[in-house]
Amino acid sequence: MNTINLALRNLWRNHRRSLTTLLAMIVGAVSILLFGGYSGNINYGLQSGFVQHSGHLQIQHKDYFLYGSGNPAAYGIPNYQHIIDVVQNDAVLKPMLTVVTPTLNLGGIAGNFSQGVSRTVIGAGVVIDDQNRMRRWNDYGFPYHFKSLALTGTSPDSAVIGTGVARVLQLCGPLQVKHCPQAPAKVVTDGARAPDDIAALSAQEASGQPAQADTHIELLAANAHGAPNVAGLNVVKAELQGVKELDDLYVMLHLQQAQKLVYGGDAPQATAVVLQLQHTSQLPAARARLEELLRTTLKGEALEVHDFATLNPSYGQITGMFAAIFGFIAILIGAIVLFTVGNTMSMAVVERTVEIGTLRAIGLRRGGIRRLFVTEGLLLGVIGSVLGVLAALALAWLINHGGLTWTPPGNVEPVPLMVRVWGEARMIVGTAIGLTVVAVLSAWWPARRAARLEIVDALRHV
Amino acid sequence: MNPVVLRNVAKHYRLDAVDVPALTDINVEIHAERFTVLSGPSGSGKTTLLNLIGCIDRPDSGELLVDGQEVLKLKDDALSDFRARRIGFVFQNFNLLPVLSAYENVEYPLLLSGKALNATQRRERVRALLDAVGLSDKANNRPGQLSGGQRQRVAIARALATEPMLVLADEPTANLDSHTGASIIELMRKMQRELRVSFVFSSHDPQVLAAADDVISIRDGRITDIRRLDHAVGTHPQPSPVPVQAHGHQQASRLEGTA
């Protein structure tokens, strides 16, 4: 009759109370795992979104991240194609890479001068084929339905704008944007008119455009020499960007058009070389290798490397917030389990006081009594954790196959509601071990009290 | 060597702010391989004395030797081991472990005692004991499935499992009807003789007193009388009603003790 066998029988003796305690543990484990699976899914979803749009890593001109976002002329990378070649041909990096592509971000003013409206915008010049490949990244198996970018197969002067930009530029009608309220009657301002040279540039650019005048805009930006330059763009689509601030500013255009706008006839540059990896787990190795290349092969280039978490601070903020909530829930559940198991074991000690006295009288040491009750707590912990994990897996499966959807912050389309428990070994093992440890700790005090009972007092207990 | 020797033993209990003497100036020796009864009215101190002899309680002063061992010098774990190997207990309420079968209840002390028995030897010993107490067909029954008399038989088998030199029984017939009580006394008497073990009872049951070899009478925490009766043969001897100390009756002889 070993201690585990005896402890199991003692638990079964009062099976109703043991089951109630186990139920509390199961509910606790399920709560922790389902919320953990949910917040883990949000983490993966955010990560996938950022990686699909801006890659895992970006090589940028030194200090561009801090000071250069509005100044592509000063912080451009002139020989970006050489850098891309070096990265793509590097033996260490090559097996990790899915896409290496240049981008050019610029700030400017978009105007629909035929309507007399304009607004500041942020433009992103991209290689559309590369971006389409990046959007296919789905390392976490989300049920995405991949759609090609609206700029796919369009002419070099095509652009996609945010619906907020379309609203201000009075393009909702021509672009057939849904839920886009008609702008009020033109507001006459007392502001100064555009300088004559800008107006002339605009007129010159507009004169060369084909007939699709109702979707035509001009994008004004400073060129590499600090002088204004205008590019005529044909807007093919207005798309919601999920975040209003971005929706009101966003213009996506072909890289060569953006380069032409900023650098004119000079050698084209890029503000970043974007690297997308096969798996996020490769990020530390890839980053280390890139930094080594910057110290060796690309020595002398004023470059630096940033990962997606640095480039998108909201990622850390959101995941941090969910981690804090998860920690709070885990502590709360832990406290509930602590008191539930502690109460169960305390009641068992009181009810079995005579039995404790008997065991001590026939020769069981104090340590044996302590071990018996701690083992009962341990068994409650192990059984409760295992059943809790199984229940959480079953519930997660039901949720994941229930067809539920939700629209995460920053998203436009609703996404399936998913709770990732299966495969999250670290979370499962951590939760199970954590709850078991809590159960053992909560059994420790009653066990200690039982072991310290005087034998004659215990035998006299009524 | 006498299995139990008490010298100048005293024990007090604290009841709120009042010290209540439970035993005072106890000097007595328990003879080996005899059926000794501690007799006295309720509250006289017989159970306290039994607890001291059983090493489950400690006196406030005095000297206590059990099986030649100065048990008061032993630390708690060593005392537990000593009890496991050398002393068996039979309780008034049987005190069997309800989650164990009759077989397992008898086997459990063997596991605690650390006796070098392999599984087969252990099984043979438990079977023999259950057979001896007439419960070989109830080996797999839990205590809840046994009558009071059967439970006490299992308790007797458990007490004898480790072949102790001393078995202590605290009013073993108090919760049994007279017929069952008589059969339990008879069983214990038989086992005591067969196994040549010392039995010490606390009891005021006339049936138990009738079976005793030695009777130690206690009143108000003091030994008032010690009688040694000539019951070496026979199952139902009549104890001498006259304490040696008081009257010097020839049929009873004083044990090595004073009260």
Side-chain angles (χ1 to χ4, degrees):
Chain A
M1 180 54 53
N2 60 37
T3 304
I4 291 177
N5 194 342
L6 189 56
L8 267 176
R9 293 194 196 187
N10 282 326
L11 290 178
W12 185 247
R13 172 173 15 168
N14 204 327
H15 54 269
R16 189 173 297 176
R17 188 167 61 215
S18 297
L19 288 175
T20 307
T21 308
L22 285 175
L23 192 63
M25 292 200 66
I26 291 167
V27 170
V30 166
S31 306
I32 292 173
L33 289 172
L34 288 188
F35 184 77
Y38 175 68
S39 64
N41 190 61
I42 286 173
N43 179 2
Y44 293 143
L46 282 172
Q47 190 189 116
S48 296
F50 288 131
V51 168
Q52 285 169 353
H53 286 81
S54 57
H56 284 97
L57 292 162
Q58 288 193 9
I59 302 170
Q60 296 179 348
H61 190 286
K62 187 168 170 46
D63 294 335
Y64 170 79
F65 179 64
L66 293 177
Y67 314 115
S69 60
N71 191 359
Y75 290 92
I77 306 170
N79 54 345
Y80 68 88
Q81 192 55 53
H82 170 64
I83 294 167
I84 291 172
D85 292 341
V86 168
V87 168
Q88 283 183 324
N89 293 316
D90 182 76
V92 176
L93 289 171
K94 196 172 180 178
M96 303 185 205
L97 298 171
T98 56
V99 178
V100 183
T101 184
T103 61
L104 175 62
N105 289 348
L106 56 95
I109 297 171
N112 182 355
F113 295 135
S114 64
Q115 297 294 321
V117 289
S118 64
R119 68 151 302 132
T120 54
V121 293
I122 294 172
V126 296
V127 179
I128 301 303
D129 288 345
D130 289 346
Q131 291 294 324
N132 275 329
R133 277 164 49 217
M134 283 178 67
R135 298 297 195 277
R136 291 178 187 275
W137 191 88
N138 190 11
D139 202 22
Y140 301 113
F142 282 94
Y144 290 132
H145 299 291
F146 172 74
K147 284 191 284 192
S148 297
L149 294 177
L151 282 180
T152 305
T154 57
S155 60
D157 66 342
S158 300
V160 169
I161 59 175
T163 54
V165 177
R167 200 162 48 237
V168 173
L169 298 185
Q170 299 188 7
L171 294 173
C172 290
L175 292 171
Q176 299 178 330
V177 182
K178 291 177 184 173
H179 312 299
C180 184
Q182 184 66 39
K186 185 179 178 182
V187 178
V188 179
T189 65
D190 296 333
R193 292 174 59 82
D196 291 344
D197 54 347
I198 303 295
L201 266 173
S202 174
Q204 180 188 337
E205 185 66 27
S207 65
Q209 298 301 316
Q212 307 145 312
D214 53 351
T215 57
H216 179 83
I217 62 169
E218 287 83 33
L219 179 58
L220 171 69
N223 70 11
H225 306 289
N229 196 10
V230 173
L233 299 173
N234 178 39
V235 180
V236 295
K237 192 176 182 186
E239 288 181 338
L240 265 172
Q241 300 302 311
V243 180
K244 185 173 186 304
E245 288 76 10
L246 185 59
D247 204 44
D248 290 347
L249 293 171
Y250 186 70
V251 176
M252 179 194 271
L253 61 162
H254 290 276
L255 176 67
Q256 63 190 88
Q257 187 72 354
Q259 288 173 327
K260 189 175 146 193
L261 178 63
V262 176
Y263 304 108
D266 296 345
Q269 299 185 21
T271 51
V273 172
V274 175
L275 284 77
Q276 192 184 60
L277 307 171
Q278 306 260 9
H279 311 292
T280 303
S281 58
Q282 297 165 324
L283 198 148
R287 181 178 188 139
R289 179 58 183 163
L290 273 180
E291 285 171 346
E292 190 182 344
L293 287 176
L294 295 187
R295 287 194 303 271
T296 55
T297 313
L298 299 171
K299 190 177 181 184
E301 307 276 354
L303 300 171
E304 59 190 13
V305 179
H306 295 293
D307 60 26
F308 72 92
T310 307
L311 294 168
N312 304 282
S314 61
Y315 173 73
Q317 291 163 349
I318 294 170
T319 53
M321 181 186 73
F322 275 97
I325 296 172
F326 179 77
F328 179 74
I329 288 175
I331 289 171
L332 211 60
I333 299 287
I336 291 169
V337 169
L338 187 82
F339 287 109
T340 306
V341 176
N343 183 53
T344 297
M345 299 313 297
S346 292
M347 289 175 73
V349 168
V350 172
E351 287 173 0
R352 285 156 54 193
T353 299
V354 174
E355 191 177 313
I356 292 164
T358 306
L359 286 167
R360 293 277 292 122
I362 64 175
L364 187 62
R365 293 179 176 188
R366 288 188 194 278
I369 296 288
R370 200 163 42 235
R371 192 162 49 249
L372 178 62
F373 282 93
V374 168
T375 304
E376 289 178 27
L378 174 72
L379 287 171
L380 280 175
V382 169
I383 296 169
S385 297
V386 168
L387 293 178
V389 167
L390 293 176
L393 286 169
L395 277 173
W397 189 90
L398 285 175
I399 292 169
N400 294 341
H401 292 78
L404 303 173
T405 61
W406 74 301
T407 306
N411 270 37
V412 178
E413 301 287 332
V415 298
L417 179 65
M418 288 184 71
V419 178
R420 289 174 186 264
V421 179
W422 179 256
E424 296 297 315
R426 202 171 137 202
M427 180 177 72
I428 291 172
V429 172
T431 302
I433 290 177
L435 286 178
T436 303
V437 167
V438 167
V440 169
L441 286 177
S442 55
W444 172 259
W445 185 253
R448 182 174 174 272
R449 195 153 44 81
R452 290 163 70 96
L453 282 172
E454 292 298 330
I455 299 172
V456 287
D457 293 338
L459 288 171
R460 272 200 297 260
H461 182 81
V462 180
Chain B
M1 181 179 64
N2 289 329
V4 180
V5 179
L6 294 103
R7 294 196 188 107
N8 305 316
V9 166
K11 174 76 180 174
H12 291 73
Y13 287 118
R14 190 93 180 155
L15 196 64
D16 295 328
V18 182
D19 262 344
V20 179
L23 292 173
T24 305
D25 196 21
I26 300 294
N27 289 281
V28 70
E29 294 187 12
I30 307 291
H31 278 193
E33 299 176 23
R34 290 179 72 84
F35 221 55
T36 304
V37 177
L38 307 176
S39 175
S42 294
S44 60
K46 56 186 186 299
T47 298
T48 302
L49 182 55
L50 199 71
N51 289 341
L52 295 180
I53 294 169
C55 306
I56 59 175
D57 200 1
R58 287 176 184 266
D60 298 326
S61 60
E63 195 179 348
L64 172 60
L65 278 80
V66 180
D67 198 22
Q69 173 84 47
E70 290 185 63
V71 290
L72 299 181
K73 291 181 178 174
L74 295 178
K75 294 200 169 162
D76 197 79
D77 281 352
L79 203 55
S80 296
D81 296 344
F82 180 80
R83 285 195 303 270
R85 286 193 304 269
R86 308 302 292 145
I87 303 174
F89 288 88
V90 178
F91 299 95
Q92 180 179 338
N93 293 318
F94 327 126
N95 290 21
L96 298 175
L97 298 182
V99 295
L100 303 185
S101 66
Y103 178 95
E104 290 163 336
N105 264 291
V106 178
E107 184 190 35
Y108 194 65
L110 284 172
L111 300 171
L112 287 180
S113 69
K115 282 188 182 291
L117 297 178
N118 61 32
T120 309
Q121 291 168 319
R122 212 165 50 234
R123 189 162 50 245
E124 284 172 359
R125 174 142 191 83
V126 174
R127 293 279 179 207
L129 282 164
L130 285 174
D131 193 40
V133 298
L135 288 175
S136 47
D137 59 331
K138 304 283 185 187
N140 295 322
N141 288 31
R142 295 264 176 104
Q145 299 165 312
L146 299 173
S147 68
Q150 288 170 328
R151 290 182 208 184
Q152 199 60 301
R153 283 168 185 270
V154 175
I156 291 164
R158 177 178 71 179
L160 294 166
T162 59
E163 298 178 309
M165 58 94 201
L166 179 66
V167 170
L168 305 176
D170 186 12
E171 308 210 26
T173 57
N175 283 349
L176 301 173
D177 62 67
S178 59
H179 177 73
T180 310
S183 70
I184 288 294
I185 294 164
E186 193 176 342
L187 172 67
M188 286 197 284
R189 194 63 164 135
K190 172 175 157 271
M191 301 295 281
Q192 183 263 323
R193 283 191 175 129
E194 284 178 5
L195 300 172
R196 303 178 68 82
V197 61
S198 305
F199 267 68
V200 182
F201 295 79
S202 73
S203 181
H204 42 61
D205 180 354
Q207 292 183 109
V208 177
L209 289 170
D213 292 326
D214 301 322
V215 176
I216 300 171
S217 300
I218 305 174
R219 180 178 288 274
D220 298 332
R222 293 176 183 274
I223 293 177
T224 57
D225 185 26
I226 301 174
R227 286 171 294 163
R228 185 171 183 188
L229 309 172
D230 188 13
H231 293 151
V233 180
T235 53
H236 296 290
Q238 295 300 311
S240 164
V242 186
V244 169
Q245 191 179 24
H247 304 285
H249 195 284
Q250 283 190 339
Q251 205 176 358
S253 63
R254 186 184 168 93
L255 293 171
E256 286 75 9
T258 58

